Amino acid sequence: MGAPKQKWTSEEEEALRRGVLKHGAGKWRTIQKDPEFSPVLSSRSNIDLKDKWRNLSFSASGLGSRDKQRVPRPKAPSSSPSPSPQLLLLPATNNVAEASPPEDCEKSPQDDKTPSPNSMILEALGELKEPNGSEVTTICNFIEIDKSYKLTDSYAKRALAPMKDPSLKKKDSAKSSKAAKGQGLFTAASPALGAAEAAATKVADAEAKSHLANEHMMEVERIGKMAEETESLLELASELYERCSRGEVLTILQVAHREF
DNA sequence: TTAGGGTTATTC
DNA sequence: GAATAACCCTAA
């Protein structure tokens, strides 16, 4: 090969990631021709995008070179149907991990294990880089496309249930496009900017978690009060039962004021 | 047009 | 020399 290797720049990688998020993995030609990414990816072919995405996926999964995973491709066309390309995708690299200490999912000694939902959500937040947090639909979309995990219908319905805005109930593709357009505002121009964005995302996420924890504490207190009231009612009922069983006659007023 | 295997260059 | 990245080839 005469031409020297053309290394991928961070801008190109970022454009590829956003392109995959917007159009989905496998739509390499669409990504390459997308006006949003074509200026950056003009020197790359759709094949290049595919190869780079494959490299990113394998390196991020901790599996090293794809050569170690190679499986003989069945030659017979009547062999078992090939799995969906999406199912073969592996998690992409994490910008948050590059800019900040690893999350709990990466503390696991075995990287090939399924990451926890929390870690996937955190990764999605980090990747999406939306300063005020991200919509549930956007996060779900990210996890389904970029992380190649499928959310169950029940979970997806639960996640979408609180959203009353009909504009948020469009098809996945529309949501994906919307999410990607939002990300277009934040191009990772430099590592410092990327780190700042990741830090801002972390802060927003921490605040959201703090708020959630506070709500949980209030719920615990409320349940505690209910338990106390229930206990006192039980005592009252027991006392009433005893006195009635002894033949005493009690008025409602007495019961209300417990003046037996 | 894409997926997947193969080949070669680069880096350590 | 091994690991990785970029590029090439081919079947579907």
Side-chain angles (χ1 to χ4, degrees):
Chain A
M1 284 178 271
K5 301 258 185 183
Q6 189 180 9
K7 297 215 67 170
W8 278 70
T9 65
S10 58
E11 286 79 10
E12 287 174 323
E13 283 188 23
E14 188 65 22
L16 173 59
R17 290 179 197 280
R18 295 188 186 284
V20 169
L21 193 60
K22 182 176 182 179
H23 299 288
K27 304 294 183 185
W28 310 119
R29 190 66 178 168
T30 307
I31 296 170
Q32 204 263 336
K33 288 195 169 186
D34 190 314
E36 189 178 343
F37 313 114
S38 57
V40 182
L41 301 174
S42 59
S43 62
R44 303 291 179 180
S45 69
N46 52 334
I47 303 297
D48 292 333
L49 302 187
K50 181 258 297 181
D51 284 334
K52 182 58 180 178
W53 185 253
R54 179 168 56 175
N55 286 339
L56 286 173
S57 299
F58 276 97
S59 60
S61 69
L63 295 172
S65 172
R66 61 189 169 95
D67 290 353
K68 293 184 176 180
Q69 280 223 333
R70 281 179 184 167
V71 178
R73 181 168 51 171
K75 295 291 182 183
S78 61
S79 61
S80 60
S82 58
S84 166
Q86 294 287 336
L87 296 177
L88 294 177
L89 289 173
L90 294 165
T93 52
N94 187 348
N95 282 354
V96 175
E98 293 169 4
S100 61
E103 289 298 328
D104 49 350
C105 66
E106 296 181 9
K107 289 174 183 174
S108 169
Q110 293 172 313
D111 288 339
D112 56 344
K113 284 195 171 182
T114 302
S116 67
N118 285 345
S119 63
M120 285 193 288
I121 293 169
L122 282 175
E123 183 174 348
L125 287 168
E127 283 281 338
L128 293 170
K129 296 186 177 68
E130 293 180 39
N132 293 324
S134 302
E135 295 175 1
V136 174
T137 51
T138 306
I139 296 172
C140 291
N141 185 61
F142 176 90
I143 292 173
E144 289 198 21
I145 292 178
D146 200 33
K147 302 288 291 181
S148 303
Y149 291 107
K150 185 67 180 177
L151 298 177
T152 61
D153 289 341
S154 60
Y155 184 87
K157 285 175 183 175
R158 265 167 34 212
L160 292 173
M163 298 192 170
K164 301 296 182 185
D165 187 352
S167 66
L168 298 175
K169 295 180 180 178
K170 296 177 183 176
K171 285 185 174 181
D172 286 348
S173 58
K175 287 182 287 186
S176 175
S177 175
K178 181 182 176 182
K181 282 178 183 173
Q183 293 166 38
L185 298 172
F186 301 96
T187 51
S190 68
L193 179 58
E197 288 173 356
T201 303
K202 289 286 185 186
V203 170
D205 187 48
E207 288 177 353
K209 284 183 175 177
S210 174
H211 179 68
L212 194 62
N214 189 40
E215 285 184 347
H216 286 170
M217 285 298 297
M218 292 175 66
E219 181 72 5
V220 168
E221 289 179 5
R222 191 176 66 83
I223 292 174
K225 285 183 179 179
M226 284 176 61
E228 288 178 5
E229 290 173 358
T230 302
E231 192 172 354
S232 61
L233 281 173
L234 182 61
E235 288 178 7
L236 174 61
S238 299
E239 194 172 341
L240 284 174
Y241 176 77
E242 286 180 9
R243 299 185 70 159
C244 289
S245 60
R246 287 200 299 264
E248 291 186 29
V249 177
L250 302 173
T251 66
I252 294 188
L253 193 62
Q254 283 177 315
V255 173
H257 292 89
R258 300 193 69 172
E259 294 172 352
F260 305 136

